Amino acid sequence: MIEIQNVSKRYGSVRALENVSLRMEGSGVLGLLGQNGAGKTTLINILTGYLAPTSGRALLDGHDPLMEPAEAKRRLGYLPEQPPLYDEMTVREYLRFVAALKGVTSRAIGAHVDEVMELTGLTSMRNRLLGHLSKGFRQRAGMAQALCGDPDVLVLDEPTVGLDPRQITEIRALIHTLGRDHTILFSSHILSEVQQLCDHVVILDHGQVKLDASLAQLSAPEDVTVLLTVDAPEAAILGRLKQLEGVRRATVQPCAQSGRTSVQLQFHREMEPERRLFALLSGMNIPILHLSRVGDSLEQVFLNVISQ
Amino acid sequence: MATIFKRDFLAYFRTPVGYVFMGVFLTLSGLIFYLYNLQNLSGDLLTFLSQLTLLVMLLSPLLTMRLICEDRQKRTDQLVFTSPAGLGSVVLAKYLAAACVMLVTVLLTNIYTLVIALGGTVYAGEWFVGYTGFLLQSLSFLALDLFVTCFAKNQMTGALAAFGANFVLWMADLLANSLTIGWLADALNFLSLYDRYEPFRLGQFSYAAALFFLTFIAACLVCATRVLDARRFSEGGAA
């Protein structure tokens, strides 16, 4: 379980986080989104006990990493933005070191490290020096160290950065699999990745939680958006569209050809936008060139949230 | 703690740092031995050891500069400080790793003791007192350097700051003699590692000085732990 209770963090006069609270129980993947400087890494550092909050507290399975470091951190696997690797060690030596650090008994270390290397696709690199690995394999080694000690909670700060497309797919598959029996907090700039992997999304902006919702909630919004292109000038059509029953917002979109108009219309879900638009435009004898629903993607949600 | 100690100790010999430290220390101490003992046909082990203090002062920052600063630079501190190991045990393990390299290096200077023994007499008591005092002083410099490097953001500034601190402490008694402010002179005299080493240099085992060195080491390590802990509250990372 991950719990963050009213956490604030200030660096001098700069507010990095302001009363941030979130909670995730049981297994699953929580996606942490935000622009650069939104406070994602600070929040992760506080959750892992690397940083102390100015006020509030973070809990890992009910244990505060500052007050009960051994109890809390035993449950934690952390992959920072830059994998914490010792370049002079081989992959195997490094993972044995991390496993011992996490309290795996010396008798079990060999088998445990082999298992983690197998899971992250590092077996063929086991005797390579970490300093000689490509960026992709360094990221995998970082992922492998987070899995050492079989922690219940995994905190992954942009785990697919620098990987090639095949490696990205493999790491995503691994996170998806791990999400079945681990609590994973996962930060990323890649919105499609969050949409693909996460059960729950938190958007941070200027150190504050702007959205905390399950992906199921996001995929069934109150409003639907349609994109309409008609063979008529803007002046002739925009006013009528805005007056149409059920339209909440009409935004003119750029249109390459003169005399035509593209408009993005936000309707209430139950207002059957296609039927109403057809009735209006056929009555006005205006040809419809394009009419489609725009999926309320996470990207749109994200942009809406941070522009508010 | 043993895990971190083992990694940090072996890291000295997986990188050039350990070899450079031992190589330079043994070469220069060999030179001092040649110039002072062999050329003068002297079997004075205690004076020879006291002359090695300058080497320790110059070279101990080489051992400590990587312990905290390298971790901070390479962000491997995020692994260590988010592991179940407590901050105090991390600092102690890192110190012991550096102390072991120092211990091995200092014990290797016994090659010169052997040379003296071949051409003269080495008294066991004198050997014990001389080496105990010298080791305690060396380990104190090492603890001070570890503490000082906790304030630095990279290895170079860490090493320079540690060297500066060694020099100030070494000069403390000289400074004290030139000061007219009584309490400051007393404080500097109290902290002078050179002064505390004096009985050992004269062949006398001083329990008071030995206790001072051990307390000094413990105080430096506790302060280093507190500095790293405080950094979690004040800025962007534990180390």
Side-chain angles (χ1 to χ4, degrees), chain A residues 9 11 45 48-52 73-74 78 80 82 84-86 88-89 93-94 97 100-101 145, chain B residues 3-4 7 11 14 71 74-84 232-233 235-239:
Chain A
K9 177 73 182 175
Y11 299 117
N45 280 334
T48 58
Y50 183 70
L51 273 182
K73 292 172 182 177
R74 195 170 290 128
Y78 175 35
Q82 183 183 329
L85 308 179
Y86 293 104
E88 71 277 5
M89 297 176 99
E93 282 169 345
Y94 172 69
F97 162 69
L101 204 56
Q145 66 79 22
Chain B
T3 311
I4 296 171
R7 198 216 75 80
R14 285 179 171 146
D71 266 4
K74 292 190 169 177
R75 312 295 286 174
T76 41
D77 59 341
Q78 290 191 311
L79 168 67
V80 177
F81 291 118
T82 59
S83 76
R232 284 203 275 217
F233 291 86
E235 50 176 273

Side-chain angles (χ1 to χ4, degrees), chain B residues 140 190-193 196 207-217:
Chain B
S140 300
F190 179 77
L191 285 172
S192 168
L193 294 182
R196 300 284 173 175
Y207 286 101
L211 191 66
F212 173 83
F213 281 130
L214 292 173
T215 312
F216 183 85
I217 292 168

